[in-house]
Amino acid sequence: MGPYPLEVTLLNLDAVPEQDGPFRIVAGNACALEYGDNAFDIVHSNSVIEHVGGWQAMMAMAGEIRRVAPRYFVQTPNFWFPIEPHFRSVYFQLLPQSVRARMLMKGKRGHRPRAQSFEEAMVSIESVNLLTFPQMQALFPDATITKERVFGLVKSLIAIQ
């Protein structure tokens, strides 16, 4: 470690609390953080907000990020990118949920295993809610929303404050 004290808190729903040098691993919910206002210098979140639930949960997470740190970097895949990154299928996110569920029941999609039932498929489908540029702007109104491009297409959106 250099001349500056560094502490990094890693938060996950089902984390086993642990201290590893400057890294503190804690269990917690990003939608309801147990930290005071401005408890951190910066929050970094990479491909998490699309997994916390529907719009209300996303608003809660965004509010918590903005509350606990004056600066943040929040990245999420872009809804309009042609390849859905979780299921690794072309425009998978544009299909009706029931169609996506049936497709997942027929075989593995990306890192998602073949669903054994319609219910299992729906849980997997509903665990991902990709965001658009206007949605990121609404969640992080005080941020600059940057577009990460791959071959000229917007792959992901990044809120930076």
Side-chain angles (χ1 to χ4, degrees):
M1 184 157 32
Y4 304 104
L6 176 67
E7 294 177 16
V8 178
T9 301
L10 305 168
L11 179 96
N12 205 326
L13 278 173
D14 55 1
V16 175
E18 180 182 345
Q19 184 76 39
D20 185 8
F23 300 100
R24 182 175 46 156
I25 300 168
V26 298
N29 182 340
C31 298
L33 297 171
E34 296 181 8
Y35 297 98
D37 295 355
N38 294 311
F40 300 95
D41 295 321
I42 188 168
V43 169
H44 177 270
S45 174
N46 192 58
S47 294
V48 174
I49 198 164
E50 74 272 15
H51 295 288
V52 297
W55 185 250
Q56 294 287 359
M58 287 186 248
M59 285 192 326
M61 180 179 169
E64 287 294 85
I65 288 170
R66 294 183 1 253
R67 181 182 68 78
V68 300
R71 301 278 181 243
Y72 53 82
F73 179 101
V74 180
Q75 181 274 354
T76 189
N78 177 24
F79 177 87
W80 295 109
F81 190 68
I83 300 170
E84 201 292 340
H86 304 89
F87 298 93
R88 296 205 176 140
S89 299
V90 176
Y91 286 120
F92 187 72
Q93 68 275 25
L94 298 180
L95 299 171
Q97 282 188 335
S98 60
V99 172
R100 288 183 275 161
R102 294 280 180 212
M103 290 171 72
L104 192 55
M105 290 175 63
K106 289 182 188 265
K108 176 182 174 188
R109 295 254 164 211
H111 294 294
R112 302 289 174 123
R114 179 182 173 275
Q116 300 302 308
S117 68
F118 188 79
E119 291 77 15
E120 182 184 328
M122 285 300 296
V123 167
S124 184
I125 297 299
E126 289 184 344
S127 73
V128 177
N129 294 290
L130 298 180
L131 293 161
T132 64
F133 188 88
Q135 289 173 316
M136 281 294 276
Q137 285 181 311
L139 291 171
F140 300 100
D142 55 342
T144 298
I145 310 300
T146 302
K147 298 174 181 178
E148 177 188 8
R149 294 181 183 274
V150 173
F151 302 116
L153 301 173
V154 179
K155 177 186 169 285
S156 60
L157 305 167
I158 307 164
I160 303 171
Q161 172 63 12

